[in-house]
């Protein structure tokens, strides 16, 4: 067999079938016998073998061996490595296709290198359908190890104009880092979409059919993207149990597996502002304290949620506000990747990142072609907002973004994603920020020193107290 897959959950099983469709012989293994059985059934007539024993699995592989795993991040990954290690030989390769934290990937790469086992971390996006018919894959680690699985990954990946949505991204944990930031952007976009939903549902009293129509229309234009497309579909889905629209019987508490939080945490560590991603994580946390929110809603109140605006005009503003904020969200994620690449020596090529996100992944969007082109023209672009075309797109829509933020503030409909996206834009293009006052305060209360506009060096003043 060409490759083994350890972990036959939804993603693992579908990726095995995808590989087999492209002519590769794949052995799938899982400790859960029912999952092995499921693969045997689905893999009938294909070059797929479901294997229930780790020794058998390894014995079936051509040497040097390639073992890919798709298991939940954290302890399960280490457990698979522990399981495989005594069965492998120097020169064999382990591929972690899960959402591992990049620092874990660094540790594993180092520990396995000591045992002469190659290890690469590959972020895979696209959910169940992506895994089956073409995900976007984000590999990092040793280039030469990647070359060994490149034909398999390129064959299975989504294609955009024939170009596979996979490419070697960089050394060490580059692949898992890029996937983490992908998920941070995913969180930001999902928060912004949910805010457009609230503004239309509560502010304009649109019903689910009307919401479907708006998102479907948006998806036919510049906002065309996977997340807008599924959002349109979601409003049509009927609940089998009640006959109502399913979205209306789903509890308003968003869960998370942590990748958005990791993105924000590392952005903070790198000192890169990513407020749209940060607020998206915070609003999921806010959603999860439902009992507290319910109690607070009895004692605290804001203005009436009804928006007194012309419906058609406001929908146009909302669409523009979303497009501008979408650009601002990608700009934050790409800025984080730039800093991470410098700090962790990944050697990332931002154009390549944008290129492999154009298809297969959750954040795929028509906009990514403009982002790719921006980096092709200027690989050292410090921020997408200073790309001429993208910057103009935001500037053209800024009045509408401001109108949406005002509308949200006036009606008390929470839209912090739009608000901080606008704040990021305004902050980024401000030559002056009031940080001189913060420096003065720091020096005043803590003798932390300050720099001056008219002279180089660090200074401290004995500030006069009014006491
Ligand atoms: C993808 C997704 C996927 C992620 C889920 C759930 O790219 O296919 O990002 O990897 O695990 O979307 O993420 P949360 O549970 O954190 O929302």
């Amino acid at each position: 067999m060409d490759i083994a897959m350890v972990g036959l959950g939804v993603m693992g099983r579908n990726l095995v079938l995808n590989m087999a469709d492209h002519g590769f012989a794949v052995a799938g293994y899982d400790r859960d016998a029912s999952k092995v059985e499921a693969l045997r059934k689905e893999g009938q007539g294909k070059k797929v073998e479901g294997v229930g024993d780790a020794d058998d699995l390894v014995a079936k592989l051509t040497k040097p061996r390639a073992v890919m795993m798709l298991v939940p991040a954290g302890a399960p990954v280490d457990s698979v490595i522990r399981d495989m290690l005594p069965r492998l030989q120097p020169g064999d390769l382990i591929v972690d296709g899960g959402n591992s934290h990049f620092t874990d990937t660094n540790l594993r790469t180092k520990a396995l290198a000591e045992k002469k086992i190659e290890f690469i971390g590959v972020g895979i996006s696209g959910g169940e359908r992506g895994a089956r018919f073409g995900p976007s894959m984000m590999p990092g680690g040793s280039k030469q190890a990647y070359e060994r699985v490149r034909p398999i990954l390129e064959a299975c990946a989504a294609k955009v104009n024939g170009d596979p949505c996979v490419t070697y991204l960089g050394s060490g944990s580059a692949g898992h880092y890029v996937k983490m930031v992908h998920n941070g952007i995913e969180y930001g976009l999902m928060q912004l979409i949910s805010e457009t939903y609230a503004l239309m549902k509560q502010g304009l009293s649109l019903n689910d059919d009307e919401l479907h129509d708006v998102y479907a229309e948006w998806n036919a234009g510049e906002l065309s993207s996977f997340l807008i497309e599924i959002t349109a579909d979601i409003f049509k889905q009927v609940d089998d149990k009640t006959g109502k629209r399913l979205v209306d019987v789903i509890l308003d508490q968003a869960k998370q597996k942590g990748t958005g939080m990791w993105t924000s945490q590392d952005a903070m560590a790198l000192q890169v502002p990513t407020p749209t991603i940060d607020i998206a994580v915070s609003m999921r946390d806010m959603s999860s304290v439902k009992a507290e929110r319910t109690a607070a809603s009895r004692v605290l109140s804001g203005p009436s949620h009804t928006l007194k605006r012309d419906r058609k005009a406001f929908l146009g503003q909302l669409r523009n506000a979303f497009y501008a904020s979408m650009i601002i969200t990608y700009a934050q994620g790409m800025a984080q990747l730039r800093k991470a690449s410098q700090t962790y020596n990944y050697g990332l090529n931002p154009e390549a990142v944008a290129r492999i996100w154009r298809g297969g992944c959750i954040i795929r969007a028509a906009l990514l072609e403009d982002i790719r082109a921006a980096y092709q023209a200027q690989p050292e672009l410090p921020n997408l907002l200073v790309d001429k075309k993208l910057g103009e797109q935001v500037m053209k829509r800024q009045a509408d973004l401001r109108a949406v933020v005002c509308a949200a503030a006036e009606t008390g409909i929470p839209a912090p994603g739009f608000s901080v996206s606008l704040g990021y834009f305004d902050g980024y293009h401000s030559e002056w920020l009031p940080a001189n006052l913060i420096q003065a305060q720091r020096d005043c209360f803590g003798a932390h020193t300050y720099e001056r506009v008219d002279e180089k060096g660090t200074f401290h003043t004995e500030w006069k107290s009014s006491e």
Side-chain angles (χ1 to χ4, degrees), residues 4 54-55 57-59 61 64-67 80-95 112 115-118:
D55 284 328
L57 176 84
V58 174
L61 298 173
R65 304 176 185 92
V67 176
V80 171
I81 292 175
R82 264 198 310 277
D83 222 26
M84 287 295 134
L85 215 45
R87 300 176 161 95
L88 299 179
Q89 287 172 333
D92 287 347
L93 166 67
I94 298 180
V95 181
L112 288 166
K115 301 200 158 38
K116 307 222 164 4
I117 301 289
E118 301 266 26

Side-chain angles (χ1 to χ4, degrees), residues 394-452:
V394 175
M395 282 198 293
K396 263 201 327 217
R397 292 167 179 81
Q398 62 170 307
D400 288 337
L401 176 53
R402 291 178 203 285
V404 165
V405 170
C406 288
E410 274 168 31
T411 53
I413 297 172
F418 280 116
S419 180
V420 298
S421 299
L422 177 61
Y424 179 89
F425 170 71
D426 284 336
Y428 192 70
H429 72 80
S430 290
E431 186 177 357
W432 179 82
L433 284 174
N436 50 336
L437 177 60
I438 295 173
Q439 273 307 82
Q441 290 164 334
R442 290 178 74 244
D443 190 56
C444 177
F445 66 64
H448 295 298
T449 74
Y450 55 87
E451 290 163 301
R452 300 179 60 94

Side-chain angles (χ1 to χ4, degrees), residues 11 98-99 123-128 136 138 179 182-184 186-187 190 254-261 284 360-363:
M11 294 292 286
N99 272 334
I124 302 183
S125 177
E128 186 176 346
S136 170
M138 295 153 244
K179 176 61 180 20
H182 164 285
N183 281 31
E186 171 184 307
Y187 272 56
M190 289 167 76
K255 299 269 189 313
Q256 51 186 317
K257 293 206 194 95
T259 45
M261 176 185 73
R284 287 202 193 188
C361 65
I362 304 296
I363 63 167

Side-chain angles (χ1 to χ4, degrees), residues 137-440:
M137 291 186 271
M138 295 153 244
S142 136
K143 175 94 183 356
Q144 135 206 345
Y146 170 67
E147 286 302 324
R148 282 168 50 186
V149 285
R150 185 164 69 99
I152 303 181
L153 300 187
E154 284 188 351
C156 294
K159 310 282 180 311
V160 173
N161 307 326
D163 197 7
C165 293
V166 60
T167 194
Y168 174 75
L169 290 174
S171 59
S173 51
H176 277 145
Y177 198 94
V178 170
K179 176 61 180 20
M180 178 187 80
V181 173
H182 164 285
N183 281 31
I185 295 171
E186 171 184 307
Y187 272 56
L189 298 178
M190 289 167 76
Q191 172 62 26
L192 290 166
I193 296 172
S194 77
E195 293 177 12
T196 62
Y197 165 46
L199 287 160
M200 290 190 280
K201 178 184 167 69
Q202 296 181 297
L204 299 178
S205 304
L206 260 56
N207 64 30
D208 291 331
D209 284 327
E210 291 167 324
L211 286 162
H212 162 84
D213 292 346
V214 170
Y215 289 115
E217 192 193 321
W218 285 4
N219 194 48
E222 66 199 8
L223 299 187
S224 171
S225 56
F226 173 72
L227 284 169
I228 293 288
E229 180 190 327
I230 62 162
T231 304
D233 295 343
I234 282 169
F235 286 101
K236 280 280 183 201
Q237 182 85 32
V238 173
D239 174 36
D240 292 340
K241 290 191 180 145
T242 58
K244 294 181 181 165
R245 294 300 160 99
L246 184 55
V247 68
D248 296 317
V249 291
I250 295 180
L251 191 63
D252 56 330
Q253 279 186 317
K255 299 269 189 313
Q256 51 186 317
K257 293 206 194 95
T259 45
M261 176 185 73
W262 296 347
T263 310
S264 283
Q265 283 174 330
D266 203 56
M268 294 275 173
L270 293 172
Q271 298 184 300
V272 182
T274 55
T276 312
I277 298 171
D278 307 341
I279 201 71
V281 178
S282 290
M283 290 310 282
R284 287 202 193 188
D285 296 338
M286 180 74 90
S287 81
S288 74
V289 293
K290 172 85 177 170
E292 267 183 65
R293 286 191 288 117
T294 304
S297 74
R298 313 266 187 264
V299 290
L300 305 170
S301 60
S304 150
H305 282 160
T306 314
L307 246 179
K308 291 181 191 67
R309 299 278 157 89
D310 175 72
R311 179 162 152 165
K312 194 156 176 276
F314 186 72
L315 288 177
Q317 289 179 319
L318 200 54
R319 173 194 189 127
N320 282 337
F322 180 73
Y323 191 61
S325 300
M326 195 175 172
I327 296 173
I328 293 167
T329 306
Y330 282 100
Q332 293 169 30
M334 296 308 286
Q336 179 168 350
L337 287 182
R338 180 177 156 83
K339 185 74 181 285
S341 184
Q342 291 160 354
T343 310
Y344 307 134
N345 297 316
Y346 286 146
L348 290 179
N349 168 0
E351 194 232 331
V353 173
R355 182 157 48 81
I356 64 167
W357 283 352
R358 288 177 309 167
C361 65
I362 304 296
I363 63 167
R364 62 183 184 261
L367 171 61
L368 275 158
E369 178 49 29
D370 291 341
I371 296 177
R372 188 204 62 73
Y375 284 118
Q376 185 181 35
Q378 291 182 81
E380 291 305 321
L381 199 63
N383 191 296
L384 282 175
L385 294 178
V386 289
D387 171 70
K388 194 165 179 305
K389 181 168 175 200
L390 293 170
E392 271 168 13
Q393 298 296 332
V394 175
M395 282 198 293
K396 263 201 327 217
R397 292 167 179 81
Q398 62 170 307
D400 288 337
L401 176 53
R402 291 178 203 285
V404 165
V405 170
C406 288
E410 274 168 31
T411 53
I413 297 172
F418 280 116
S419 180
V420 298
S421 299
L422 177 61
Y424 179 89
F425 170 71
D426 284 336
Y428 192 70
H429 72 80
S430 290
E431 186 177 357
W432 179 82
L433 284 174
N436 50 336
L437 177 60
I438 295 173
Q439 273 307 82

Side-chain angles (χ1 to χ4, degrees), residues 17-81:
L17 297 171
N18 183 347
M19 288 172 176
D21 281 350
H22 290 91
F24 297 98
V26 197
Y29 166 75
D30 200 292
R31 286 183 195 157
D32 178 345
S34 67
K35 289 188 176 150
V36 176
E37 205 34 56
L39 178 70
R40 282 186 186 137
K41 277 207 188 90
E42 279 184 278
Q44 268 170 23
K46 299 183 197 286
K47 286 199 254 176
V48 166
E49 279 193 43
V51 186
D53 178 88
D55 284 328
D56 277 358
L57 176 84
V58 174
K60 283 182 189 299
L61 298 173
T62 53
K63 292 181 190 169
R65 304 176 185 92
V67 176
M68 183 162 188
M69 68 171 114
L70 257 164
V71 297
V77 176
D78 291 315
S79 154
V80 171
I81 292 175

